[in-house]
Amino acid sequence: MRAYPSNSVTPSSGTVKAVRGAVVDVVFTESDLPPLNSALVVEWDKPTPLILEVHSHLTINTLRAVAFQSTAGLARGVTVRATGSPVTVPVGDAVLGRLLDVVGDPKDNGPALPQDTPRRPIHALAPLLKSQISTTDMFETGIKVIDLLTPMAQGGKAAMFGGAGVGKTVLVMELIRAMVEKYEGISVFAGIGERSREGHELLTEMRDSGVIERTVLVYGQMNEPPGARWRAPLTALTISEYFRDQQHRNVLLLMDNVFRFVQAGAEVSSLLGRLPSRVGYQPTLASEVAGLQERIASVAGSAVTAIQAVYVPADDFTDPAVTTISSHMDCVIMLSRAKAAEGFYPAIDPLGSSSMLLDPLVVGEAHYQTADAVRQTLARFQELADIISLLGVEELGVADRQIVKRARRLQRFLTQPFMVTEAFTGTPGASVPLTDTLAGCRAILAGETDDWSESSLYMVGTLEDARQKEAHGKASDTSVTAAP
C-alpha cells in the first residue's frame, strides 16, 4: 500500500455506506470528515488498492467520493482510511522511461519504483503571474503548414481540434517524433481516454526510436472509471511541474485527448448529482478547464510547452468544450474533414487556424509577408470555389485564373508525408526546415511552378524534391511517347 504524507488533519477511518458505480458514499461517525480533494484508501481484500477522492460533504458525517479504480466487488460496511492529504504521485528521474497510471503505479511490467522516490500531490496552484515568463521563441516542428501559418511558441500552448478520423493522433505522434529528436528536454505524455491499441503503439514506437529514456507516459485509458480519466492530466502535469521547478528543465507536455478530460468531468458531475449545464456539460466546465490549463506555465529558467489534441464532437466547433479549451491557447490548429476527404494531409485548415506568434515583430517581416500572401491566395480561391463549380475555371478573369492555379499548387505543396505513416504508405517521411518552406511558397506565389504538374507538388518535402519529381515525371512521359 502506498504511503501518504500526513497534513495537519489527523487520519481517521470510516465505512462504505453506498456504491453507485464510480461514486462511493462514506460515513465517518467517530471523527470529522476529511477535507475536499483528499485521498481515501479502501481497505478491502482485493490485491490492488482502491483509491477514492473526496468531492462533497453530504451531511455532518457523510461524504461522497470518486473512485480511481473499478469498484466491482466493493460492499457496504468496508473500512475506509482517510489519508488527510491529496493523492500523491511519484516524480523525478525514477519515472523517466516508465508508463504510469493515474495514481503513479507502473503499468509497463517493469520493476517497482524505488522506495525513496519523491512524491507530490496532484492538486497545486498555478505559478504566480509575476513569476511566469512569456516567450516568443519559435518552436520549429518541421511540418510545413504549421511552421508557416500557425507557428508554435516554446513555452506556449497549442491545440489541434478535429472530429473523429481526421488525423489528430497521427499529427501528435509526428510532433512527438519530430520534436524529441531535436528537443533536449523531458517529454511527458498524458493519454486521456485513449484506446489500449493507441497506447501500446506509442510505447512501442518510443522504445524503437530510443527516446523513451527521456519520456514519461501517463495513461487513464478508455476502459477505466471516469475518475481516472479525469485526473490523469493532473498526474502528468504534476510530474512536469517537478522537472520545471526542482530540476529547471524544459518540458514538452503532450495530451491526447483533452476532450476526454472534459467528458470524464461531465460523467463525474452527473454521478455526484449536479444539474447539467449547456449541452449537458458540467456546470463547472470553465473552472475545471482553467484549473488545468493555467497550471501549464513557464517560469524563469525553464519552459513547459504544451501540445494538446482535442476531439470536436460531431465536427461542431461551437461546442462549449471546444470554445472553452481554445480560449486558453496561443496556437489553434483546426483539422478539416473536407481537407481529409480531398486527400490533403495533414488535414489542417489554413484559414481556420491561427497563432499569436504570426506577427512581424515575432517571426520577422519576410515570414509574415509570405504567410499573409499564402492566406490571401487560398482565401480568394475559396471565394471563387462556387463560381468554378457552376461555370468552370474558363469563365474567370485572367488574374483570378492565375490565383486559382497558384492556390491549387500551394494546397498540394503544404501536404507532407509523415515519418509515423511510412509503414502504411510506403512514402518516406519528410521534415522541412522553415527556410525551405518559405522559399517554396515564395517560388509558387511568384509563378515559378505555373508550368509544373500539380501532382509534382503533392506529398513532397522541399521544392527541390518537387522539382526532381517533376523532372522524373517529364522524363517518364518522354520515354512513353518515344516508345514504338
Side-chain angles (χ1 to χ4, degrees):
M1 187 68 67
R2 75 181 50 75
Y4 289 90
S6 176
N7 284 2
S8 57
V9 180
T10 305
S12 54
S13 294
T15 55
V16 174
K17 179 185 177 184
V19 182
R20 298 180 186 86
V23 168
V24 180
D25 290 355
V26 183
V27 177
F28 286 80
T29 53
E30 304 294 329
S31 59
D32 293 335
L33 291 178
L36 297 180
N37 290 332
S38 64
L40 309 175
V41 180
V42 177
E43 298 184 337
W44 61 352
D45 55 357
K46 296 288 182 73
T48 55
L50 175 59
I51 311 299
L52 312 177
E53 187 177 72
V54 181
H55 276 281
S56 62
H57 291 173
L58 301 180
T59 67
I60 197 167
N61 61 1
T62 307
L63 60 80
R64 185 161 286 171
V66 174
F68 285 172
Q69 293 88 11
S70 172
T71 57
L74 179 61
R76 286 182 290 182
V78 174
T79 302
V80 177
R81 178 170 55 84
T83 63
S85 69
V87 171
T88 62
V89 294
V91 293
D93 293 336
V95 300
L96 289 174
R98 304 303 301 270
L99 188 151
L100 309 175
D101 66 6
V102 66
V103 293
D105 291 338
K107 295 294 181 183
D108 52 6
N109 296 325
L113 297 173
Q115 288 291 330
D116 59 351
T117 304
R119 304 184 74 93
R120 290 183 71 162
I122 63 171
H123 295 284
L125 297 174
L128 295 173
L129 198 58
K130 64 181 180 182
S131 66
Q132 295 183 27
I133 56 167
S134 58
T135 176
T136 54
D137 294 337
M138 188 172 160
F139 207 76
E140 200 170 313
T141 65
I143 299 173
K144 290 182 287 190
V145 65
I146 291 178
D147 289 343
L148 174 70
L149 298 174
T150 58
M152 294 183 183
Q154 187 162 343
K157 291 194 278 271
M160 283 156 286
F161 296 88
V166 294
K168 295 183 300 300
T169 300
V170 170
L171 192 53
V172 167
M173 290 177 72
E174 180 70 13
L175 284 167
I176 292 171
R177 190 182 184 106
M179 290 182 177
V180 168
E181 288 176 358
K182 335 175 182 176
Y183 192 75
E184 295 305 317
I186 299 295
S187 297
V188 180
F189 180 85
I192 311 162
E194 287 288 279
R195 300 169 184 87
S196 300
R197 171 186 57 78
E198 292 173 338
H200 186 264
E201 283 176 2
L202 184 64
L203 180 62
T204 305
E205 181 159 337
M206 288 197 159
R207 281 177 173 161
D208 293 345
S209 59
V211 301
I212 190 71
E213 298 307 319
R214 290 188 284 117
T215 305
V216 186
L217 303 174
V218 179
Y219 275 94
Q221 293 192 162
M222 194 173 275
N223 62 324
E224 294 188 57
R229 288 178 273 126
W230 193 33
R231 292 312 191 201
L234 298 189
T235 301
L237 194 48
T238 302
I239 295 169
S240 304
E241 288 170 339
Y242 179 84
F243 286 116
R244 179 195 69 193
D245 298 336
Q246 304 300 318
Q247 298 192 3
H248 306 292
R249 299 170 79 174
N250 290 337
V251 180
L252 178 62
L253 176 63
L254 302 127
M255 295 189 191
D256 186 9
N257 183 312
V258 181
F259 178 78
R260 305 291 178 208
F261 161 74
V262 174
Q263 197 174 41
E267 288 180 52
V268 169
S269 181
S270 298
L271 289 167
L272 291 172
R274 297 178 187 146
L275 287 173
S277 182
R278 199 159 50 115
V279 199
Y281 287 110
Q282 61 270 44
T284 52
L285 171 65
S287 57
E288 282 178 18
V289 171
L292 173 68
Q293 300 293 348
E294 293 307 307
R295 281 175 65 182
I296 304 172
S298 301
V299 297
S302 49
V304 176
T305 305
I307 298 172
Q308 306 170 32
V310 184
Y311 167 70
V312 179
D315 290 344
D316 179 13
F317 288 92
T318 63
D319 185 86
V322 174
T323 55
T324 303
I325 294 167
S326 64
S327 65
H328 293 273
M329 297 298 149
D330 308 318
C331 174
V332 174
I333 298 169
M334 298 290 192
L335 288 120
S336 162
R337 192 170 300 281
K339 295 283 179 197
E342 291 175 35
F344 295 137
Y345 290 101
I348 294 171
D349 181 358
L351 303 178
S353 305
S354 62
S355 171
M356 290 184 180
L357 255 69
L358 194 59
D359 184 288
L361 298 175
V362 178
V363 298
E365 193 67 38
H367 182 167
Y368 177 78
Q369 294 290 355
T370 304
D372 190 49
V374 167
R375 277 221 169 127
Q376 286 187 25
T377 304
L378 294 175
R380 181 60 182 159
F381 177 48
Q382 194 174 63
E383 289 172 7
L384 296 168
D386 289 343
I387 298 173
I388 294 169
S389 62
L390 289 171
L391 304 174
V393 182
E394 296 76 17
E395 297 301 315
L396 299 176
V398 175
D400 282 342
R401 280 206 302 273
Q402 187 182 75
I403 285 173
V404 169
K405 180 186 289 186
R406 292 176 185 173
R408 288 176 62 85
R409 283 160 174 75
L410 280 171
Q411 281 183 331
R412 282 149 183 78
F413 181 65
L414 292 177
T415 61
Q416 188 169 339
F418 281 171
M419 295 177 191
V420 296
T421 58
E422 279 183 28
F424 310 107
T425 63
T427 306
S431 178
V432 184
L434 177 62
T435 49
D436 290 345
T437 301
L438 294 174
C441 290
R442 288 192 197 108
I444 294 169
L445 289 167
E448 291 181 27
T449 63
D450 284 0
D451 297 331
W452 293 14
S453 167
E454 289 180 359
S455 61
S456 299
L457 293 157
Y458 179 69
M459 283 293 172
V460 295
T462 63
L463 193 69
E464 188 57 38
D465 295 337
R467 184 175 279 111
Q468 292 175 11
K469 192 175 176 182
E470 173 72 9
H472 180 72
K474 282 186 176 177
S476 300
D477 292 344
T478 305
S479 61
V480 170
T481 308

